[in-house]
Amino acid sequence: MTEGTFTSSRLPRENIPLPDGSVLRRRSLVPDAAFIDAVAADVEYLGKWLRWARRPPTREETEKFRAEQDADWDAGRSFVYVLTPPDRHDAVIGGGAMFPNGAAAVLEIGYWVCSPATGRGLATRAAAALTEEGLRLPGVEAMEIHCDRANVRSAQIPPRLGYRLLRVEPDEPQTPAEAGQSMVWRRDGAGPRPTPQAP
């Protein structure tokens, strides 16, 4: 991996099916209205941990961010997905992303699920799919997950997927719920692939 970019011929899949039939889709493949509706309906829950979801997004903001994410994808800089239910591309129940975080040969992933879809293992399956997809990219030797120590539900996911806790480091809180202590988890590409154990 060179300077955090990937060649256009070796980008991740735009659609990643999960075992339950839901699909991680490249953000630009899903209507802006579906993204806006999902976040606006769940601001109180999502805004606890996602700084960009602390208020309903406007159409103009959504269009701008989607265009930026599309350009980053095409340039091989970062890859943003939304999670859609089985057999639908016009509804959003969560999302995820892969992006360089400054560490050599490492991609970091993030994930989120709307409150009506929690408790079904979707975040675990989405994180597992992003982990495997990232490790297949050229030059990627390890994946990382960073989450605030106070986000107990999110912190349960990395060890299920074979990540090991590297360290806990101070991090400026971005939302009211965060404690300002970031847990840094890493999984190397070598070795057997664990089967995700969703709750």
Side-chain angles (χ1 to χ4, degrees):
M1 188 165 63
T2 304
E3 297 181 356
T5 61
F6 301 87
T7 62
S8 59
S9 61
R10 298 296 300 275
L11 297 177
R13 289 177 291 170
E14 294 188 348
N15 294 288
I16 306 175
L18 303 188
D20 68 332
S22 56
V23 181
L24 283 164
R25 301 183 192 273
R26 179 175 171 168
R27 169 64 188 88
S28 60
L29 300 181
V30 176
D32 287 347
F35 178 83
I36 293 171
D37 290 348
V39 177
D42 212 22
V43 163
E44 185 175 354
Y45 175 77
L46 295 176
K48 291 179 180 179
W49 307 111
L50 304 171
R51 62 179 179 269
W52 52 264
R54 293 180 63 186
R55 62 176 177 80
T58 67
R59 183 168 299 278
E60 292 74 18
E61 289 170 335
T62 302
E63 290 174 351
K64 178 178 180 288
F65 291 146
R66 187 246 305 142
E68 292 173 351
Q69 292 162 357
D70 221 22
D72 284 342
W73 185 299
D74 290 338
R77 288 188 290 266
S78 61
F79 314 102
V80 176
Y81 293 87
V82 291
L83 183 62
T84 60
D87 303 318
R88 294 190 64 180
H89 76 285
D90 60 347
V92 172
I93 56 175
M98 299 187 291
F99 49 91
N101 66 4
V106 174
L107 275 183
E108 183 178 336
I109 66 169
Y111 44 85
W112 57 278
V113 174
C114 295
S115 59
T118 58
R120 295 163 23 199
L122 282 170
T124 299
R125 289 191 287 273
L130 290 172
T131 298
E132 297 304 327
E133 193 72 16
L135 289 173
R136 282 195 285 266
L137 293 173
V140 176
E141 298 176 4
M143 304 294 290
E144 284 189 357
I145 294 173
H146 297 202
C147 70
D148 190 86
R149 172 171 262 166
N151 194 344
V152 176
R153 294 188 71 170
S154 182
Q156 292 173 344
I157 292 174
R160 291 186 191 132
L161 304 180
Y163 284 76
R164 70 187 191 282
L165 183 62
L166 286 183
R167 62 187 180 276
V168 179
E169 59 189 17
D171 189 24
E172 186 69 25
Q174 299 295 318
T175 68
E178 291 185 341
Q181 293 287 318
S182 180
M183 305 177 76
V184 179
W185 301 83
R186 179 175 290 187
R187 191 177 122 187
D188 298 321
R193 300 290 197 252
T195 301
Q197 301 297 317

